[in-house]
């Protein structure tokens, strides 16, 4: 496993991080808690030190599982969790980055994770109803209290990051980034590179689509958040299948899997610090961490780019 410095922080994170959204269930086919814990421990054994979670993943379930899994292993992990999504008793989630809510949220997360300090505390989504100043002044106050070490954002625009940085240091941004989701190349990636803000890329396998299992291996997508994925629509299915099949050929030449190739591509993009990969069991976790060892040459990257550009043209 390789490690990289996260922005201007003193955190050195593995290039493959473990994402725990799926472990919370709700939006995903039901996970098994014991398998989730085993996947976290196998990831740590395999050299992953970055674990990304959030209160909203299963209404606290994922954070509690991380807390259980890292018992006795605290010094081996960098815990990244988030704030800013609250839920009511019916499970409806709303954005809330108000001071009062943040002061409550941090203690709830520390309690569920059973730790004294959170290494990276990220704003999950912007909240249009709270001034950025209120949020980031509060986070800076929480940082100074010693409950968090560093502050990051997620799903922020360049303008929102610029504003937030007036009130505290932002060491990382967490945007979506994969072969099939390249929007951040326009503004976010250049901005973060220029300002030394680390990028923790989420959904690098496009929620499992880029493993090829649904398009190439005949696996039926579960009735979860992927049901409406555009690549599974009648219009995009065939072009996507062709694209994934070409990418899998290249993966086999490189002696790796399609999923690991897709993650490796993300890690090879300039400015990306780490790719956060979701895993619901040990098998997936072990496969994903291999992406950290895949070496792609300039020629490989160009070849991958051409295959994906062709796909983009076809699905237009
Ligand atoms: N900040 C945000 O707003 C935000 C949003 C999304 C994600 N994230 C973070 O980023 C992490 C990763 O993103 P993600 O979970 O959306 O997508 P992902 O990593 O692209 O895909 C993960 C899913 O793909 C399937 N999978 C994983 N490894 C596999 C393998 N080796 N073979 C076959 N299938 C495999 C699993 O689902 P199945 O087994 O059900 O197919 C898994 O849950 C999240 O866990 C979370 O920490 C953050």
């Amino acid at each position: 496993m390789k490690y990289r410095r996260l922005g201007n922080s003193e955190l050195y994170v593995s290039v493959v991080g473990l994402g725990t959204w799926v472990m919370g269930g709700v939006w995903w086919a039901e996970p098994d808690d014991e398998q989730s814990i085993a996947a976290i421990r196998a990831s740590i054994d395999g050299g992953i030190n970055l674990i990304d979670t959030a209160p909203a993943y299963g209404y606290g379930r994922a954070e509690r599982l991380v807390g259980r899994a890292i018992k006795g292993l605290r010094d081996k992990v960098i815990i990244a969790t988030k704030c800013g999504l609250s839920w009511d008793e019916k499970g409806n989630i709303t954005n809330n980055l108000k001071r009062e809510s943040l002061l409550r949220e941090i203690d709830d997360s520390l309690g569920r994770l059973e730790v004294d300090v959170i290494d990276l505390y990220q704003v999950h989504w912007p909240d249009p109803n709270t001034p950025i100043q209120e949020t980031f002044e509060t986070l800076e106050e929480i940082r100074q209290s010693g409950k968090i070490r560093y502050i990051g954002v997620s799903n922020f625009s360049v303008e929102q990051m610029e504003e937030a940085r007036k009130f505290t240091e932002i060491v990382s941004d967490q945007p979506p980034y994969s072969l099939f989701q390249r929007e951040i190349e326009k503004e976010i990636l250049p901005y973060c590179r220029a300002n030394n803000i680390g990028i923790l890329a989420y959904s690098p396998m496009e929620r499992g689509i880029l493993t090829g299992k649904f398009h190439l291996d005949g696996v039926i997508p579960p009735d979860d958040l992927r049901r409406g994925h555009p690549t599974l629509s009648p219009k995009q299915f065939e072009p996507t299948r062709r694209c994934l099949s070409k990418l899998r050929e290249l993966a086999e030449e490189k002696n790796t899997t399609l999923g690991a190739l897709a993650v490796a591509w993300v890690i090879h993009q300039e400015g990306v610090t780490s790719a956060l990969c979701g895993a619901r069991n040990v098998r997936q976790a072990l496969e994903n961490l291999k992406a950290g060892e895949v070496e792609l040459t300039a020629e490989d990257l160009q070849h991958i780019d051409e295959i994906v550009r062709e796909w983009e043209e076809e699905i237009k």
Side-chain angles (χ1 to χ4, degrees), residues 46-175:
I48 284 184
N49 71 354
L50 175 63
I51 301 182
D52 180 73
T53 188
Y57 297 166
Y59 312 116
R61 180 175 174 187
E63 280 192 334
R64 275 191 290 272
L65 287 168
V66 172
R68 278 176 62 194
I70 64 165
K71 284 253 164 63
L73 301 170
R74 179 65 183 100
D75 58 333
K76 289 197 161 68
V77 292
I78 290 169
I79 300 177
T81 192
K82 311 191 186 80
C83 59
L85 295 181
S86 303
W87 59 89
D88 62 19
E89 57 291 345
K90 287 189 186 139
N92 299 314
I93 291 190
T94 47
N95 299 89
N96 190 346
L97 288 173
K98 299 219 183 309
R99 177 182 161 77
E100 197 196 341
S101 183
L102 293 174
L103 294 177
R104 196 176 39 243
E105 270 205 70
I106 180 63
D107 289 336
D108 289 348
S109 283
L110 288 169
R112 285 189 291 258
L113 289 159
E114 298 180 65
V115 295
D116 303 324
V117 59
I118 284 160
D119 302 296
L120 179 67
Y121 203 45
Q122 307 155 103
V123 172
H124 206 151
W125 284 90
D127 171 9
N129 301 314
T130 307
I132 285 187
Q133 179 166 1
E134 176 179 339
T135 300
F136 288 88
E137 281 181 351
T138 308
L139 289 175
E140 176 57 23
E141 188 185 320
I142 295 174
R143 195 186 65 76
Q144 285 180 19
S145 76
K147 292 179 180 178
I148 60 179
R149 293 177 68 197
Y150 295 100
I151 297 165
V153 294
S154 177
N155 302 302
F156 265 44
S157 67
V158 165
E159 292 69 30
Q160 288 162 333
M161 280 192 263
E162 280 276 278
E163 180 67 9
R165 291 173 67 218
K166 291 180 188 160
F167 309 105
T168 187
E169 187 182 18
I170 303 295
V171 301
S172 63
D173 179 32
Q174 188 180 138

Side-chain angles (χ1 to χ4, degrees), residues 145-245:
S145 76
K147 292 179 180 178
I148 60 179
R149 293 177 68 197
Y150 295 100
I151 297 165
V153 294
S154 177
N155 302 302
F156 265 44
S157 67
V158 165
E159 292 69 30
Q160 288 162 333
M161 280 192 263
E162 280 276 278
E163 180 67 9
R165 291 173 67 218
K166 291 180 188 160
F167 309 105
T168 187
E169 187 182 18
I170 303 295
V171 301
S172 63
D173 179 32
Q174 188 180 138
Y177 194 32
S178 75
L179 281 167
F180 285 175
Q181 177 55 263
R182 299 178 63 167
E183 182 64 27
I184 68 163
E185 291 172 1
K186 290 183 196 146
E187 287 185 7
I188 305 276
L189 203 47
Y191 176 81
C192 288
R193 271 201 302 257
N195 291 285
N196 200 21
I197 295 172
I199 291 265
L200 304 178
Y202 77 67
S203 307
M205 289 171 286
E206 197 56 35
R207 300 181 178 166
I209 303 281
L210 280 163
T211 65
K213 60 184 175 182
F214 304 128
H215 294 82
L216 300 177
D217 303 333
V219 174
I220 309 285
D223 191 10
D224 63 10
L225 78 172
R226 289 164 295 193
R227 261 296 151 93
H229 197 278
T231 61
L232 295 164
S233 68
K235 179 167 182 257
Q236 291 192 15
F237 194 91
E238 266 307 306
T240 306
R241 194 190 58 73
R242 280 195 296 276
C243 170
L244 292 175
S245 161

